[in-house]
Amino acid sequence: MEQELQNLQKFYDIIIEFFVNYSFQIIGAIIVFIIGWFLANKIASAVDALCKRNELDVTLTKFIVNTVKFGLIIGVTIIAVGKLGITLTPFIAGIGAASLGAGLALQGTLSNYGAGLSIIIGRPFIVGNTISVEGVSGVVEEIRLAYTILSTEDGEIITIPNKHIIGEVLVNSFENRVVETVFGIDYHSDPKLAIDVISNVLKEFDEISQEPKAQMGIKEFADFSINIEVRYWAPTKLFFETQYKVNMAIYDAFKQNNINIPFPTYNLIKKD
């Protein structure tokens, strides 16, 4: 019991000696860190306001603000640690060696970050655009350093690693997607009338983009029908809904104007 009390007394003396010798350094380091953290937030807010005032892209603004804030906090941390009398040179060298090993082990992850940085700086697309890449398409909801998040009309969330975007064929149709539909009419119907009917139907839908304008015309003369192709731009979030409504409206308009939609017929010869 006496030995344990002596050990506790030694431990207590060491703690008291430590705080007596380093109390001012610790307090100074804490004050420097708090002031530095406060200034980093203030400067980051000022940079954010400056970027918004110059109408920079949201993703680019976030990247600049986070970079500035992170850099300032790192600098403040180095100064605060220096106040404690700790030499950072061996520590930085160790971080460098560890970073090299981590970089070799995480090549795939780092390539995503590099690709994300390229997207943020190059801006081939921004939040709100509709992109198609690697066989998937959707509206860009968020661009992060490692991956890009898309959403679809069905409410699905698609996460694409950025390394699969950079270097690939990328289609950016901004906030809309093109709808391509073919309507067949029989050879007794007037294709000019059919095109006028389709054009009038499309004008009834406010969600269909008027710029660029819808395109329509005779695509081909098939065996049983004159095929009229229609191309128009619809909001990505309402792509299929708009297409289905337009198809039904055109079908009803064809019936009202006596425009027939044919179907294949075959003459069957009965053999005795």
Side-chain angles (χ1 to χ4, degrees), residues 67-256:
T67 301
V68 170
K69 184 176 180 179
F70 183 74
L72 290 173
I73 291 176
I74 291 295
V76 167
T77 302
I78 292 174
I79 295 173
V81 172
K83 286 290 183 179
L84 296 175
I86 300 174
T87 304
L88 295 177
T89 304
F91 181 70
I92 294 174
I95 291 178
S99 299
L100 178 60
L104 294 175
L106 301 173
Q107 290 183 14
T109 302
L110 293 178
S111 63
N112 283 328
Y113 282 96
L117 185 60
S118 177
I119 292 172
I120 292 171
I121 295 175
R123 299 177 67 191
F125 56 86
I126 60 175
V127 172
N129 285 170
T130 300
I131 65 170
S132 298
V133 64
E134 289 285 322
V136 299
S137 63
V139 177
V140 178
E141 295 293 340
E142 190 173 357
I143 304 171
R144 298 187 179 182
L145 278 178
Y147 53 86
T148 296
I149 300 175
L150 309 181
S151 65
T152 67
E153 182 178 357
D154 299 323
E156 297 173 328
I157 298 298
I158 302 174
T159 302
I160 307 177
N162 286 331
K163 68 179 180 180
H164 293 301
I165 298 177
I166 295 298
E168 299 293 335
V169 177
L170 175 70
V171 179
N172 184 356
S173 57
F174 301 96
E175 67 272 12
N176 296 321
R177 282 179 63 189
V178 64
V179 180
E180 297 179 308
T181 309
V182 176
F183 299 97
I185 63 174
D186 64 23
Y187 280 91
H188 297 292
S189 299
D190 184 358
K192 291 183 180 179
L193 175 60
I195 290 173
D196 289 339
V197 168
I198 295 172
S199 178
N200 291 331
V201 168
L202 295 182
K203 291 177 182 178
E204 297 175 359
F205 288 85
D206 294 333
E207 54 266 43
I208 294 178
S209 174
Q210 300 301 317
E211 189 61 41
K213 295 182 178 180
Q215 298 174 311
M216 61 199 77
I218 297 176
K219 180 180 181 181
E220 62 181 350
F221 298 96
D223 293 336
F224 301 96
S225 64
I226 300 174
N227 291 335
I228 298 175
E229 184 173 36
V230 182
R231 302 177 77 251
Y232 57 90
W233 292 90
T236 303
K237 289 294 186 69
L238 301 172
F239 179 83
F240 293 106
E241 180 181 343
T242 303
Q243 183 182 29
Y244 300 153
K245 288 182 178 179
V246 169
N247 287 349
M248 179 57 71
I250 290 175
Y251 175 78
D252 292 338
F254 276 1
K255 290 181 64 177
Q256 294 173 6

Side-chain angles (χ1 to χ4, degrees), residues 1-15:
M1 184 65 177
E2 184 177 350
Q3 183 65 34
E4 292 179 357
L5 291 175
Q6 290 178 356
N7 291 336
L8 288 174
Q9 183 63 39
K10 289 181 181 179
F11 181 72
Y12 176 78
D13 293 340
I14 291 173
I15 292 176

Side-chain angles (χ1 to χ4, degrees), residues 47-86:
V47 171
D48 182 55
L50 179 63
C51 292
K52 290 179 178 178
R53 191 160 53 247
N54 287 276
E55 298 182 350
L56 289 184
D57 175 56
V58 175
T59 304
L60 184 59
T61 298
K62 287 182 179 180
F63 175 74
I64 294 174
V65 170
N66 290 334
T67 301
V68 170
K69 184 176 180 179
F70 183 74
L72 290 173
I73 291 176
I74 291 295
V76 167
T77 302
I78 292 174
I79 295 173
V81 172
K83 286 290 183 179
L84 296 175
I86 300 174

